[in-house]
Amino acid sequence: MSTARRGRGGGGANGVIRPRPRDRGDGGGSMAGRVAVLGFCVVGIWSAYIYQGVLQETLSTKRFGPEARRFEHLAFLNFAQNVVCFVWSFISERPLRPSLPSSWLVIKLWSGGSSSAGHAPLWKYWGVSITNTIGPTMGIEALKYISYPAQVLAKSSKMIPVMLMGTLLYGVKYTLPEYLCTFLVAGGVSSFALLKTSSKTIKKLANPNGPLGYALCFLNLAFDGYTNSTQDLIKSRYPKTNPWDIMLGMNLWGTIYNAIIMFAAPLLFSNWPYANGFEAVKFCQDNPEVAWDIFLFCLCGAVGQNFIFLTISRFGSLTNTTITTTRKFMSIVVSSVISGNPLSPKQWGSVVMVFSGLSIQIYLKWKKKKGREHKE
């Protein structure tokens, strides 16, 4: 889920485009200072998103209260994440433009398409926010059917639909090493899915159903792909749009859409089959620890996104991809060791297979980047 765009630059959530890096790593301060900032970014991203993963897994598998009830309204996490990230981006936006009037949000929402300041008006995000609402919801709902490590692996295979669509629809030709990366990732995810999951892990799931869980994850990736591409178009048309602009716009519309789905629709339809916001709020009132975990989950997403912005602006998207990829591996380790999701040796082999493919992909991108810099 995520509140941050989980796009080409790496992890994050909430449909946020990556900022253009001002520094590609060639100077900009002493080496010791750069290493310190890089270490700060690594610790920030790892701690925010690993802990967010722990909270996500807790909310999807733990039983709460004296009646040992599950929190079945996982889609409510996306609504809460939208609200928190909207407030966070609103607060972050004001210091960047202190001269804005107090009514700037309304002005920004209804301003024309050709913004004089070069920033995209908020209404530009209404369409792309639909896919950004549906996609992460599918990703988090998958945790009812598959384990957290399985979800992380499945959502790490974004290169598969990208290369598949590039080959079939646009005739893009890829190199042999790129196909090797895809083979390793696809093979690792497939073998992990086919291997038997431990009974201890299965008992923690609400409704174990591997095919449905993986299908939701891959649909999540497909929607994310459209979201990322559309955000790139918005950024190219309005070059002065900054990450907090997009974070604000995406989460404003995401809050509206989720509010309609989770609060308005249940009032209009008595047999509303989707997540019910009123029931989720009531569950939080009966179990305050759930409300606290949800708040921390959302806060981790907002804080982690800011560390991603800092990483890309100082060191570039490739460094960010490396950090977020290793973070995903550590999330699986933490889930296995701390959260009690034991993996068999064969499953660990599948995990290593996936992250070997991702590591080769990072190396190929680094090699291309160095080649371009050498030509320049």
Side-chain angles (χ1 to χ4, degrees):
M1 168 181 82
S2 146
T3 38
R5 163 177 164 186
R6 305 174 194 277
R8 287 188 274 273
N14 306 306
V16 183
I17 199 168
R18 302 311 187 207
R20 291 178 181 272
R22 294 190 302 270
D23 186 323
R24 297 287 183 180
D26 303 322
S30 67
M31 178 59 69
R34 287 181 57 77
V35 170
V37 173
L38 179 60
F40 180 64
C41 292
V42 171
V43 172
I45 292 174
W46 276 35
S47 58
Y49 287 114
I50 289 177
Y51 186 49
Q52 187 185 47
V54 171
L55 292 167
Q56 187 179 35
E57 188 170 7
T58 299
L59 290 166
S60 63
T61 59
K62 186 178 177 180
R63 295 179 180 273
F64 300 92
E67 298 178 1
R69 295 166 55 206
R70 290 182 181 273
F71 181 70
E72 299 178 353
H73 314 284
L74 295 182
F76 184 78
L77 294 179
N78 284 328
F79 170 71
Q81 181 96 305
N82 285 144
V83 173
V84 171
C85 285
F86 170 72
V87 173
W88 185 280
S89 56
F90 181 84
I91 294 172
S92 300
E93 178 88 346
R94 293 292 292 179
L96 296 178
R97 287 186 274 171
S99 60
L100 289 172
S102 57
S103 59
W104 77 273
L105 185 60
V106 177
I107 296 173
K108 187 177 176 67
L109 179 61
W110 297 111
S111 60
S114 56
S115 173
S116 59
H119 298 267
L122 292 180
W123 66 266
K124 283 289 183 180
Y125 303 102
W126 76 267
V128 66
S129 295
I130 295 176
T131 56
N132 193 55
T133 299
I134 298 173
T137 298
M138 289 181 168
I140 198 166
E141 285 286 331
L143 288 174
K144 294 180 179 179
Y145 311 105
I146 58 177
S147 67
Y148 180 73
Q151 184 221 40
V152 172
L153 274 188
K155 293 178 70 174
S156 297
S157 58
K158 184 172 292 186
M159 68 173 70
I160 297 175
V162 169
M163 291 184 67
L164 188 63
M165 293 181 69
T167 301
L168 297 179
L169 299 181
Y170 305 109
V172 178
K173 294 183 179 180
Y174 297 95
T175 64
L176 185 61
E178 287 174 325
Y179 281 116
L180 174 62
C181 293
T182 305
F183 172 77
L184 287 172
V185 173
V189 173
S190 300
S191 61
F192 190 95
L194 294 173
L195 290 169
K196 184 178 180 181
T197 305
S198 71
S199 57
K200 184 178 180 181
T201 299
I202 292 177
K203 288 179 180 178
K204 295 169 66 177
L205 300 176
N207 300 293
N209 187 330
L212 178 56
Y214 283 104
L216 288 172
C217 287
F218 292 130
L219 284 172
N220 180 187
L221 292 180
F223 279 110
D224 278 356
Y226 173 80
T227 299
N228 297 349
S229 300
T230 306
Q231 287 177 340
D232 288 340
L233 290 175
I234 293 174
K235 185 68 173 67
S236 63
R237 183 172 181 182
Y238 301 94
K240 291 187 179 181
T241 298
N242 62 52
W244 288 275
D245 285 329
I246 299 180
M247 191 175 184
L248 184 78
M250 297 295 289
N251 286 288
L252 170 63
W253 288 105
T255 299
I256 294 172
Y257 294 149
N258 275 307
I260 292 172
I261 293 170
M262 303 196 71
F263 293 96
L267 293 177
L268 298 174
F269 306 99
S270 57
N271 295 321
W272 181 245
Y274 193 65
N276 189 309
F278 296 105
E279 293 179 1
V281 171
K282 179 65 166 58
F283 192 97
C284 291
Q285 291 174 337
D286 295 338
N287 303 275
E289 63 174 307
V290 174
W292 180 244
D293 283 349
I294 291 175
F295 173 73
L296 291 177
F297 170 86
C298 299
L299 191 62
C300 284
V303 172
Q305 192 66 64
N306 279 267
F307 276 108
I308 284 177
F309 294 160
L310 176 61
T311 302
I312 295 177
S313 66
R314 292 295 188 91
F315 305 100
S317 61
L318 190 57
T319 299
N320 178 69
T321 300
T322 305
I323 296 172
T324 54
T325 299
T326 53
R327 189 279 303 171
K328 291 175 184 177
F329 181 81
M330 290 306 301
S331 290
I332 293 177
V333 173
V334 170
S335 176
S336 177
V337 176
I338 297 179
S339 300
N341 286 317
L343 301 182
S344 68
K346 290 183 179 180
Q347 286 179 314
W348 276 116
S350 299
V351 172
V352 171
M353 199 172 169
V354 169
F355 284 95
S356 295
L358 295 177
S359 299
I360 295 173
Q361 183 191 41
I362 291 172
Y363 171 74
L364 293 175
K365 288 182 178 179
W366 175 82
K367 196 173 179 180
K368 284 183 179 180
K369 177 175 177 287
K370 290 297 181 183
R372 287 195 300 267
E373 292 176 350
H374 182 70
K375 289 180 181 179
E376 294 173 359

